[in-house]
Structure formats: structure tokens, C-alpha cells
Amino acid sequence: MMGSEEESSSTPKRLTPLLQRAYVAFLTNRKCAFLISFILATIFYTPIYVASSNNNANQKRYGLGGPSASASELTSALRRKSNGRAAVAIIRVVGLQSEHRIKSNPKNQVQYLVQFKSHDYPIKAFRGTVCLLGGNASSGKKKGLIGKGKGSGGIDGDVTPLDTLKRELNEELLSPDWVNRIQQQEVIDDSKLGKTLYNTTSLPTVTNDERSDTNNNNFNDGRFPGTVRYLGTTLHSHTAELIDKPNPYAFYCALYEITIGIDQLPHSILHPVGATIQEGRLALLTQDQLLQHAKYSWGYEYTIETYFGKKSWNKQKGASVSEVDENIWETTSWTPLT
């Protein structure tokens, strides 16, 4: 007991009685000291861990290298009482050659730039599926009309489908020059051609004498790099079971077609290093791959089927697409209601 009295007498006088007893226990009993240390560590570490967990949750990333900003946009869209709005593009890539290390054939086959949803995409049924580039409209104070897809830059949100498309492509492809050069007055309105075969065009056929590149037959229909066409709007519907939500969800989808050259492809396609865009990774697919092998999100298998006029083999149960009367749709606000 003499040792305990001496040790207790050396305890700092400023400590409270409780801390004094803990201090003495720390000096005299190692097991007790370990227990006290564990309790104190738990008390101080718990709030730090909780704060860190909250920060990590707020910074969750969908796909390698992709921020989760679009995840909150998706959540907002699914909660809206009215039908959503989206603008997407079928992006044709022409002029592919073997030296670009991208599989092609002697006919310079057109390939299509698409997105594969990441393995942690919020909707499980859409993980690993193909999605057209583009996205949901952003709401704002100023509300505009769809104007058959003819917009000229939005203020306080997306006023037209073209506003939405350009904003989304800039976000997903890191603002390539060709996106910013798209002007509404240059968009070709082919929505009146009918929705039985999107892959037709009102552009005049170009002969070999009129083309500088006589070896590439992909330009015969006049769709040179930089050509943008508006193909019309459809209604995409999804059951609650498919999207794993309490309620079904539908959105109006304005469809465009954009033709770009090999030199306009994102760097990550020509020199892949594992980086991806917001909700997945970019890929180039052929027509056969799109029709026969790809599985789609958001009902785009029906879009691809109509575009090529051929059957798409992999369809999601619970997704459907219907036509929209363009005359009625022209008088409907593009800005989504919250």
C-alpha cells in the first residue's frame, strides 16, 4: 500500500477526483489502464468517424473517375410528379482507320459513341448497360417551349432540348470544341420523316465528284462530321419494379443524331487509361453490337431498333417507348416541373 500512497500523492492536485482515481488506476493496474484508454479512444473517435462517413457518402463516385453529381439529378427526376425531360444523341463516328487501334473494316464502318453504365449505378437493372449520351433537363426560373428541338442556349436552366444536350455532352465529354460549335440554326429537322426509320435523312446524296474523300462511302448521304439532326421526341416509360422505386417513371426524350470524325473523339477512347465519365465509361460499338449484343438502360433499345429499322435482341422487361405527337409537344414546356 505504501507504493499506492506515494503514487497517489504525486497525482496533480488540479485533476478532479474522478480523473485522480483514473490516474491512480492507470499507474497501479495495467489492465484497468488499457480499459480506460479504450473507453477514452472510443469517446473521442466516434464523432470523427461519423463525420468522415458522412463526407464520404456525400462524395460517392459512380464509375471510375466520375463524380456523383448526376446521381442527385437522377434522384430529383425520379421524384417529380410530372413526366421528366431528357435529350440524348446517337453519335456517329466516321473515318475510323486501323492505325487508330480501333477495330474497323476496309469499308470504314461507322461506329457509335455510347456509354456503359458503371457497376455501382443507382438503378441495379441498368448496371453495365448501354446508354446514349445526354441526360436530364435542368429546371430553372425561365420556362420555354420545346420548339421542335430548336434552342439557342438557356438562361436559369435548360429552355430547350438543345440546351440540355449541349450541357450534358460538355459535362460528360469534358467540353469538346465540336459541342460548343453546335448552333440551333444549323440543326437539321428530320422529325417529319416519320419514326419508322431514324437512320434516313433529308440531306441530298453527295456524289464522289462532290466529295474530297472519295474513299469513304459514309459521306454519300451528306452526313459529314459536324452534321446534327433532330429526329423527334418519344415518351419512355418504366415500371416501378424495373427501377426499384415506389412509383413508375416516364420521361419525354428528344433524340438527336450527331456525326463526328475520328479526330473529334475523346482522348479516353483513343488512349484509354481507365478514366471514365460521370456514370460509366465510353465505348465505340458497331451497328451489329448495338442490335445483337447490347443491353440498354432507359428504353434505348427501342430507340436503336427504330433508328436502324432492325430488331434489337435484348429488351428490358418493364421498359416501353411510345410516340409523341410533335404538334402537341411543341406547345409543352421543356423545363421540367419540380
Side-chain angles (χ1 to χ4, degrees), residues 18 35 74 84 105 110 114 145 158-159 165 170 175-176 196-197 205 230 262 268 270 277 280 282 306:
L18 178 61
L35 179 60
L74 173 60
N105 59 30
V110 176
V114 295
L145 302 181
D158 298 335
V159 178
L165 182 66
N170 275 323
S175 300
T196 56
L197 183 60
T205 300
Y230 170 64
I262 181 67
S268 59
L270 296 177
I277 57 178
L282 296 174
T306 303

Side-chain angles (χ1 to χ4, degrees), residues 17-251:
L18 178 61
L19 290 179
Q20 287 179 351
R21 287 195 293 271
Y23 184 75
V24 171
F26 179 81
L27 296 175
T28 58
N29 191 321
R30 291 187 177 181
K31 292 184 179 180
C32 185
F34 174 79
L35 179 60
I36 293 174
S37 300
F38 177 78
I39 294 174
L40 292 175
T42 302
I43 293 173
F44 286 105
Y45 178 73
T46 299
I48 297 175
Y49 174 79
V50 172
S52 176
S53 298
N54 290 337
N55 289 336
N56 290 336
N58 293 333
Q59 296 174 0
K60 184 176 181 181
R61 303 169 75 85
Y62 293 98
L64 300 176
S68 62
S70 56
S72 60
E73 293 176 3
L74 173 60
T75 301
S76 298
L78 293 176
R79 288 177 178 173
R80 291 179 186 132
K81 297 180 180 179
S82 61
N83 293 330
R85 310 283 192 270
V88 299
I90 294 174
I91 301 180
R92 306 170 68 248
V93 182
V94 296
L96 296 171
Q97 302 288 347
S98 58
E99 61 264 27
H100 295 123
R101 298 180 181 179
I102 297 176
K103 291 183 179 180
S104 59
N105 59 30
K107 296 181 181 180
N108 295 326
Q109 184 181 38
V110 176
Q111 294 195 31
Y112 299 86
L113 183 63
V114 295
Q115 176 197 70
F116 277 97
K117 292 298 186 186
S118 64
H119 68 282
D120 54 356
Y121 187 67
I123 298 177
K124 292 182 180 180
F126 294 162
R127 293 175 181 176
T129 60
V130 171
C131 186
L132 299 180
L133 292 174
N136 293 318
S138 174
S139 60
K141 298 177 182 178
K142 182 177 179 180
K143 299 184 184 297
L145 302 181
I146 183 173
K148 297 187 297 186
K150 299 181 179 180
S152 57
I155 300 175
D156 294 330
D158 298 335
V159 178
T160 67
L162 192 60
D163 295 339
T164 299
L165 182 66
K166 292 177 65 174
R167 177 182 53 76
E168 286 287 334
L169 291 179
N170 275 323
E171 291 176 2
E172 295 173 336
L173 304 178
L174 303 180
S175 300
D177 291 338
W178 60 266
V179 172
N180 296 320
R181 286 198 295 266
I182 297 176
Q183 299 299 322
Q184 180 53 60
Q185 60 270 23
E186 298 176 0
V187 175
I188 300 165
D189 185 0
D190 275 351
S191 62
K192 303 302 182 183
L193 293 179
K195 296 187 174 68
T196 56
L197 183 60
Y198 285 135
N199 197 20
T200 57
T201 175
S202 61
L203 293 171
T205 300
V206 179
T207 64
N208 286 343
D209 294 337
E210 297 174 309
R211 293 190 291 109
S212 57
D213 183 5
T214 57
N215 295 321
N216 196 329
N217 295 325
N218 293 319
F219 298 154
N220 282 348
D221 59 5
R223 286 181 285 180
F224 293 91
T227 302
V228 181
R229 299 194 300 139
Y230 170 64
L231 303 181
T233 300
T234 49
L235 179 65
H236 294 231
S237 303
H238 311 82
T239 62
E241 291 76 16
L242 175 62
I243 60 177
D244 194 22
K245 298 294 179 182
N247 301 307
Y249 175 68
F251 65 91

Side-chain angles (χ1 to χ4, degrees), residues 303-322:
T303 304
I304 291 297
E305 189 173 77
T306 303
Y307 181 79
F308 291 113
K310 297 181 179 180
K311 181 180 179 180
S312 175
W313 289 95
N314 299 304
K315 291 185 172 65
Q316 289 271 22
K317 183 179 180 180
S320 61
V321 174
S322 55

